[in-house]
Amino acid sequence: METLGSREVYANNWMSVREDDVRRADGSDGIYGVIDKPDYALVIPLDGNRIHLVEQYRYPLGLRRWEFPQGTAPDRAHMAADELAVRELREETGLSADSMVEIGLLDVAPGLTSQRGRVFLATRLSEGEHARELEEQDMRTAWFTRSDFEKLVSEGEITDAQSIAAYAQLLMHERRA
């Protein structure tokens, strides 16, 4: 597909939306809408058989959801993925890790957005104070056993696609180790 032109139609501190004029492989013209968001880091805090999750209100769904700590740099800024992982873990949970290893890459919704995510495994954890952003003030955190996490996924209580995919990457990473 060839891009013929592009224009930004909306922007805020977290994302922009653009509309591209495109030429398809068959020669016909069309339009494509793309949500551009900065890449994010997702962190799996692992302590033995326990994983640490955050729960927050997700406005587009109108629901509170459990998920792994994850996020982007403020104001659509670029930040190295490993630095972002350290920041998100501390910001959302107060945890810091002596070991932070990148284990995977996720495309959020490649037919809709350019955003990609790097998955990190955080181990040898220490507790501290969180430093949440204004939008995260109602966030809660808790430890779950891996079997409890899997049960909550199978029961539809954990539905965050990135968290579920990251957990699958954790399982594959452990098989390779």
Side-chain angles (χ1 to χ4, degrees):
M1 193 172 308
E2 178 186 1
T3 305
L4 304 174
S6 185
R7 63 197 156 282
E8 184 177 88
V9 295
Y10 174 80
N12 64 28
N13 289 342
W14 299 275
M15 62 181 239
S16 65
V17 178
R18 72 175 197 269
E19 201 170 77
D20 292 351
D21 295 314
V22 297
R23 178 151 302 130
R24 298 180 192 98
D26 69 358
S28 64
D29 290 344
I31 196 165
Y32 212 104
V34 178
I35 299 169
D36 287 315
K37 293 186 74 167
D39 290 349
Y40 68 95
L42 179 150
V43 183
I44 302 172
L46 180 65
D47 180 27
N49 188 40
R50 301 181 316 150
I51 53 179
H52 199 83
L53 301 176
V54 299
E55 186 212 42
Q56 62 185 314
Y57 182 75
R58 290 302 194 179
Y59 179 83
L61 297 176
L63 300 168
R64 296 189 67 79
R65 298 282 84 189
W66 285 102
E67 56 196 44
F68 286 118
Q70 58 191 289
T72 62
D75 300 320
R76 294 190 281 159
H78 173 76
M79 184 181 285
D82 57 340
E83 294 173 24
L84 186 55
V86 169
R87 179 183 180 277
E88 286 299 315
L89 180 64
R90 182 194 51 77
E91 177 185 289
E92 294 187 2
T93 68
L95 296 171
S96 58
D98 284 344
S99 175
M100 185 80 75
V101 177
E102 184 176 334
I103 63 170
L105 172 66
L106 299 173
D107 291 328
V108 175
L112 178 67
T113 179
S114 62
Q115 188 178 44
R116 305 185 93 189
R118 300 283 174 177
V119 178
F120 290 85
L121 174 61
T123 57
R124 298 195 311 265
L125 302 165
S126 304
E127 296 201 20
E129 292 295 318
H130 63 76
R132 296 183 184 133
E133 296 174 348
L134 185 60
E135 296 83 9
E136 300 170 330
Q137 294 306 306
D138 69 338
M139 183 178 280
R140 294 183 286 219
T141 66
W143 288 98
F144 292 84
T145 65
R146 290 167 73 140
S147 60
D148 286 342
F149 176 85
E150 291 173 12
K151 181 179 179 187
L152 290 169
V153 170
S154 68
E155 293 174 347
E157 292 297 317
I158 293 177
T159 57
D160 177 58
Q162 287 74 241
S163 294
I164 296 168
Y167 188 75
Q169 288 184 331
L170 171 64
L171 296 176
M172 290 183 283
H173 171 79
E174 290 173 334
R175 279 192 218 136
R176 290 188 303 266

